[in-house]
């Protein structure tokens, strides 16, 4: 499959004037692998399509009205966008009109942050009219132009700011901070899906506590998540497993139910994650002490999520080391914690003489209880013998 540099070479030879742009240029200087590549070109989209078609590639033209042609390469889908200067913004989201330009610096000027407004020629020369590289070296997140204006045009940029400080360990520039404070109310109108996707990136990054602090300090937090108390102690978040359930449960620890629901809806979580976070956050007070018998019973309720409960409680300052070792072990050896995991079934009990009815369920529950105390009992012969004794005492067997 075609590589990105081969695509750039092709566009260059056909005089389309391509440049690498945005996150991929920034990531190159950071020594990070880009999550995706964007190209900006001087040529118009129709010409890009012609060139790609002539080379036997099949571009996707869904975004052509905005100047974007997409093509698959070994590095994933590449968006090739003709230099644009964006027109007026109406709904603080998409520009009303898109105007193409042959001036690369105008295209760079519409981009959100200086570190994202760098371009690179096919032979590796940097074009950096807003001193993004110098900001990057200073770990500074700065808007292209006046922050308050840029955030008014598009409120999503404020959440992108929270994501970038978290992901790239940056400090917000004072003008960016002031702009966010001024435009905080703008994030109320963003869709849940857009909020969820930017903030998911933030929570899963190396420094989620930095983005959180930025949202709090600038007043975005209560606009996004009304009713959630501000928690000054988020530093431990970064040391938690890099997945949403433990991290969000940590954030929501000790909060009241309604704001928690609202938070999860605003994060646009899929149903399974929504339910898992809720379950873990409600496990604040369950008893967890290092006793396998007791912990198997918690595994029965929480399954794998018990590890997340343990991670949250340990990040919140409880000593969970021995509990964690036992839980991990019980999960690894797949200890029996369900009736389905027993080595006998209702049919086996009927063969033993149990009449159909409630007695079977009660007996199976009793067997499970015994097995959770002593996993070595989970063998057919042993269970049948316990069942037969139990059946007689309880009057199910004569
Ligand atoms: P990531 O590593 O998450 O991909 P990125 O900077 O590449 O970060 P993208 O969403 O892929 O982010 O966008 C590519 C580029 O498009 C950005 O680097 C930036 O130049 C520009 N851009 C994206 N979203 C906006 C926006 N809301 N406002 C202005 N420019 C934007
Ligand atoms: Mg990108």
């Amino acid at each position: 499959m075609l590589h990105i540099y081969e695509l750039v070479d092709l566009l260059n030879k056909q005089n389309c004037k391509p440049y690498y742009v945005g996150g991929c240029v920034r990531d190159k200087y950071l020594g990070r692998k880009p999550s995706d590549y964007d190209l900006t070109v001087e040529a118009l989209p129709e010409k890009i399509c012609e060139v790609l078609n002539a080379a036997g590639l099949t571009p996707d033209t869904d975004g052509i009205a905005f100047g974007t042609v997409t093509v698959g390469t070994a590095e994933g889908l590449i968006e090739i966008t003709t230099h644009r200067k964006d027109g007026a913004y109406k709904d603080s989201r998409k520009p009303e009109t898109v105007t193409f330009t042959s001036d690369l610096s105008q295209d760079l000027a519409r981009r959100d942050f200086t570190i994202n407004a760098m371009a690179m020629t096919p032979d590796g020369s940097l074009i950096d009219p807003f001193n993004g590289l110098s900001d990057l070296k200073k770990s500074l997140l700065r808007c292209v132009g006046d922050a308050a204006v840029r955030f008014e045009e598009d409120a999503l940029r404020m959440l992108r700011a929270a994501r970038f400080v978290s992901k790239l360990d940056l400090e917000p520039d004072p003008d960016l901070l002031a702009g966010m404070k001024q435009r905080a109310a703008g994030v109320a109108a963003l869709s849940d899906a857009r909020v969820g996707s930017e903030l998911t990136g933030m929570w899963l990054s190396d420094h989620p506590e930095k983005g959180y602090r930025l949202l709090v300090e600038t007043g975005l937090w209560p606009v996004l998540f009304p009713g959630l108390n501000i928690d000054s102690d988020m530093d431990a978040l970064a040391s938690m497993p890099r997945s949403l359930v433990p991290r969000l449960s940590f954030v929501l620890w000790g909060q009241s139910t309604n704001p928690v629901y609202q938070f999860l809806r605003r994060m646009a979580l899929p149903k399974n994650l929504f339910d898992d976070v809720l379950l873990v956050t409600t496990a604040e007070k369950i008893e967890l002490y290092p006793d396998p018998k007791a912990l198997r019973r918690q595994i029965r309720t929480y399954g794998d999520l018990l590890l997340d409960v343990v991670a949250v409680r340990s990040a919140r300052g409880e000593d969970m080391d021995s509990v964690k070792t036992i839980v991990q072990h019980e999960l690894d050896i797949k200890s029996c914690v369900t009736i389905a995991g027993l080595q006998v079934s209702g049919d086996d009990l009927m063969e033993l003489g149990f009449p159909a009815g409630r007695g079977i369920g009660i007996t199976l529950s009793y067997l499970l209880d015994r097995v959770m105390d002593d996993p070595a009992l989970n063998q057919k012969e042993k269970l049948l013998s316990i069942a037969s004794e139990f059946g007689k005492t309880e009057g199910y067997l004569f």
Side-chain angles (χ1 to χ4, degrees):
M1 204 174 194
L2 188 77
H3 280 287
I4 171 100
Y5 61 87
E6 292 168 319
L7 174 66
V8 169
D9 201 38
L10 169 71
L11 295 170
N12 198 27
K13 288 206 170 106
Q14 297 301 320
N15 209 21
C16 299
K17 300 246 174 71
Y19 301 83
Y20 296 93
V21 72
C24 64
V25 179
R26 177 199 69 216
D27 289 345
K28 176 187 153 57
Y29 283 99
L30 289 171
R32 296 174 73 106
K33 191 174 175 297
S35 58
D36 49 27
Y37 288 84
D38 291 300
L39 300 178
T40 181
V41 289
E42 191 180 308
L44 293 172
E46 292 70 23
K47 165 144 188 200
I48 301 298
C49 288
E50 272 171 36
V51 168
L52 295 176
N53 283 323
L57 299 164
T58 34
D60 171 347
T61 55
D62 283 356
I64 204 159
F66 296 103
T68 302
V69 172
T70 307
V71 67
T73 67
E75 286 79 16
L77 290 176
I78 309 292
E79 291 195 345
I80 307 168
T81 306
T82 303
H83 304 334
R84 279 167 26 185
K85 50 179 178 189
D86 286 346
Y89 281 70
K90 192 175 157 199
D91 66 349
S92 153
R93 193 175 154 183
K94 282 238 162 75
E96 280 288 271
T97 50
V98 166
T99 317
F100 298 134
T101 170
S102 56
D103 182 358
L104 171 64
S105 62
Q106 285 188 321
D107 181 275
L108 296 176
R110 74 179 169 86
R111 293 172 185 272
D112 47 6
F113 305 109
T114 60
I115 59 168
N116 289 346
M118 299 188 276
M120 186 174 273
T121 62
D123 62 8
S125 318
L126 181 68
I127 295 146
D128 182 17
F130 303 101
N131 298 318
L133 186 57
S134 142
D135 286 344
L136 199 57
K137 287 182 177 151
K138 288 186 272 188
S139 296
L140 191 65
L141 188 67
R142 193 160 60 89
C143 285
V144 173
D146 184 283
V149 172
R150 305 308 313 280
F151 294 152
E152 191 183 21
E153 284 172 1
D154 180 2
L156 189 75
R157 291 174 185 152
M158 294 185 269
L159 300 187
R160 288 175 56 87
R163 177 162 69 86
F164 287 122
V165 297
S166 293
K167 195 169 149 186
L168 307 175
D169 195 5
L170 306 175
E171 297 307 322
D173 160 78
D175 177 61
L176 184 149
L177 275 179
M180 271 178 87
K181 284 181 188 161
Q182 205 177 330
R183 302 296 178 209
V187 294
L190 295 172
S191 73
D192 294 347
R194 287 158 70 83
V195 170
S197 105
E198 290 301 332
L199 294 193
T200 293
M202 177 184 98
W203 296 123
L204 296 179
S205 68
D206 283 350
H207 292 283
E209 77 288 355
K210 293 186 80 154
Y212 173 81
R213 266 191 235 121
L214 178 62
L215 296 177
V216 167
E217 187 184 344
T218 52
L220 262 75
W221 185 259
V223 178
L224 290 166
F225 307 120
L228 275 191
N229 294 323
I230 307 282
D231 190 332
S232 58
D233 192 21
M234 279 288 163
D235 285 358
L237 189 54
S239 63
M240 304 208 51
R242 201 185 289 266
S243 84
L244 276 179
V245 175
R247 290 198 171 185
L248 294 187
S249 307
F250 178 89
V251 171
L252 296 171
W253 207 242
Q255 302 276 359
S256 16
T257 318
N258 275 342
V260 165
Y261 270 86
Q262 275 178 290
F263 173 96
L264 296 174
R265 273 197 294 269
R266 201 70 174 110
M267 282 296 299
L269 288 195
K271 170 116 179 62
N272 61 329
L273 286 183
F274 190 109
D275 293 346
D276 287 355
V277 176
L278 267 188
L279 188 62
V280 173
T281 51
T282 53
E284 225 169 308
K285 296 203 173 69
I286 60 168
E287 290 201 49
L288 294 177
Y289 43 90
D291 167 17
K293 293 180 192 171
L295 289 174
R296 281 180 209 119
R297 287 171 168 86
Q298 300 293 12
I299 292 175
R300 183 176 193 196
T301 311
Y302 293 96
D304 288 353
L305 292 177
L306 192 59
L307 278 178
D308 292 331
V309 174
V310 167
V312 177
R313 286 182 42 170
S314 138
R316 287 283 176 191
E318 279 182 67
D319 178 2
M320 286 278 131
D321 290 354
S322 336
V323 168
K324 183 180 173 187
T325 311
I326 298 172
V327 171
Q328 186 69 64
H329 175 73
E330 294 297 326
L331 288 170
D332 286 348
I333 62 170
K334 297 190 168 55
S335 278
C336 170
V337 293
T338 60
I339 284 180
L342 290 172
Q343 293 300 318
V344 296
S345 64
D347 288 347
D348 295 325
L349 296 188
M350 292 214 265
E351 259 176 51
L352 209 59
F354 276 78
R358 293 180 60 230
I360 295 206
I362 293 172
T363 309
L364 289 172
S365 296
Y366 174 74
L367 293 178
L368 177 60
D369 214 43
R370 294 288 303 271
V371 165
M372 286 196 293
D373 278 341
D374 179 4
L377 296 179
N378 197 13
Q379 292 174 19
K380 193 163 184 178
E381 290 312 307
K382 288 184 182 165
L383 292 179
L384 286 178
S385 133
I386 299 171
S388 133
E389 223 173 279
F390 181 76
K392 283 178 198 145
T393 352
E394 296 296 311
Y396 302 128
L397 287 178
F398 305 102

